[in-house]
Amino acid sequence: MENWQGKVAIVTGANQGIGLAVSKRLSERGVKVVLASNKADELAAAQDQLRAQGGEALAFALDVRDKGSVDRMVQETLDTYGRIDILVNNAGVSYFGGVQQCTEEQWDETMGINLKGYFLLAKAVLPHMIAAKSGSVINMSSIWGKKGSSSMVAYSTSKFAIEGFTQSLSEEAKPHGIKVASIVLDKVDTPFRDNMVEFVEFNDEQKQRMLAAEDVADSVEWILSSSNRSLPSSIHLDAFNW
């Protein structure tokens, strides 16, 4: 992306962790950021942070599983800024357990947020990117989308699906000048594991050896900075010190 100034990005799960770090990085580069999350209080605080650093930000309380809510956010973005250049699908959830432990409710929630949410957001923004003949969609994936996990069956299954979704969307979007990529994440030190602390806990030394949210923001920035000739279609971001 040769000129960041004036571009508009939607980032889901922007209230904390990776989503907030990516939003801050984009804002620092002059991108107008639409912050989306289902946690309204944290979202307002995130918006204040971006505005405090001189950025332009719009907060939208959003359930990514609800098409009506997604469509309203996209329309509000267009009404406010007139364009959508970047979509970062980041909102996600994870529960501990294999097939025998995972409840039907946990399975449905994981597939709804981690998979249906990505689909609905992409579906909503794609017509506007096609009309502009440009755009970028970045989907957060996981090492558990490359190999199965007996302790995170729903999460792993959702991320395998995201890899297929990313590749399929890329084929659809490429003729229109739209780049689609995934970032395959190893362990990242964020509050994302809150649903699993009863089963999995890491000490401070271990957390320091994980990836930081800012490392993921680096990869997002690199994808968006790639030339029109290249597409970093999938970045596998390893925790090098783990």
Side-chain angles (χ1 to χ4, degrees):
M1 187 177 296
E2 295 179 0
N3 184 12
W4 299 73
Q5 203 71 33
K7 300 289 187 181
V8 177
I10 294 173
V11 182
T12 66
N15 57 299
Q16 65 178 12
I18 291 171
L20 181 55
V22 169
S23 298
K24 286 180 176 179
R25 183 68 59 85
L26 293 177
S27 182
E28 289 166 1
R29 299 296 180 266
V31 177
K32 301 171 184 177
V33 184
V34 178
L35 306 153
S37 169
N38 63 351
K39 296 181 179 178
D41 291 345
E42 293 180 10
L43 197 61
Q47 182 183 47
D48 290 343
Q49 289 183 50
L50 265 65
R51 289 178 173 176
Q53 68 181 24
E56 190 165 349
L58 174 68
F60 197 99
L62 174 71
D63 181 348
V64 296
R65 299 167 292 183
D66 178 55
K67 182 179 184 300
S69 183
V70 169
D71 289 344
R72 285 191 296 274
M73 180 195 65
V74 168
Q75 189 57 55
E76 184 170 335
T77 300
L78 293 170
D79 291 344
T80 304
Y81 297 127
R83 60 192 295 167
I84 299 171
D85 303 283
I86 302 161
L87 168 63
V88 180
N89 272 320
N90 169 70
V93 66
S94 180
Y95 290 99
F96 184 89
V99 170
Q100 296 182 86
Q101 290 173 295
C102 181
T103 67
E104 184 178 357
E105 292 74 20
Q106 290 171 345
W107 177 273
D108 288 345
E109 182 183 0
T110 303
M111 296 304 156
I113 295 174
N114 295 10
L115 183 55
K116 183 181 180 181
Y118 282 34
F119 163 73
L120 289 177
L121 265 295
K123 186 177 182 66
V125 305
L126 201 59
H128 309 287
M129 291 183 175
I130 289 173
K133 296 183 172 58
S134 68
S136 298
V137 178
I138 299 174
N139 294 326
M140 292 300 163
S141 186
S142 168
I143 57 171
W144 301 116
K146 297 289 188 178
K147 58 183 178 180
S149 170
S150 62
S151 60
M152 292 192 298
V153 62
Y155 181 75
S156 178
T157 301
S158 72
K159 292 304 180 179
F160 265 93
I162 287 305
E163 287 299 297
F165 176 69
T166 300
Q167 293 175 32
S168 299
L169 181 61
S170 183
E171 289 298 313
E172 180 178 353
K174 182 178 179 180
H176 304 285
I178 301 163
K179 292 185 175 185
V180 182
S182 70
I183 302 179
V184 180
L185 297 173
D186 199 348
K187 299 171 188 67
V188 186
D189 183 21
T190 71
F192 177 71
R193 297 181 301 275
D194 285 352
N195 287 330
M196 301 192 295
V197 292
E198 181 181 349
F199 306 96
V200 181
E201 186 60 73
F202 297 99
N203 60 40
D204 290 341
E205 188 274 335
Q206 289 173 312
K207 291 178 180 179
Q208 289 173 6
R209 291 190 283 116
M210 294 179 180
L211 296 165
E214 290 73 18
D215 298 323
V216 185
D218 288 342
S219 290
V220 169
E221 184 174 4
W222 188 65
I223 291 171
L224 295 175
S225 299
S226 61
S227 76
N228 291 334
R229 300 180 301 276
S230 68
L231 171 62
S233 57
S234 184
I235 296 177
H236 195 124
L237 200 60
D238 288 324
F240 182 65
N241 293 318
W242 189 259

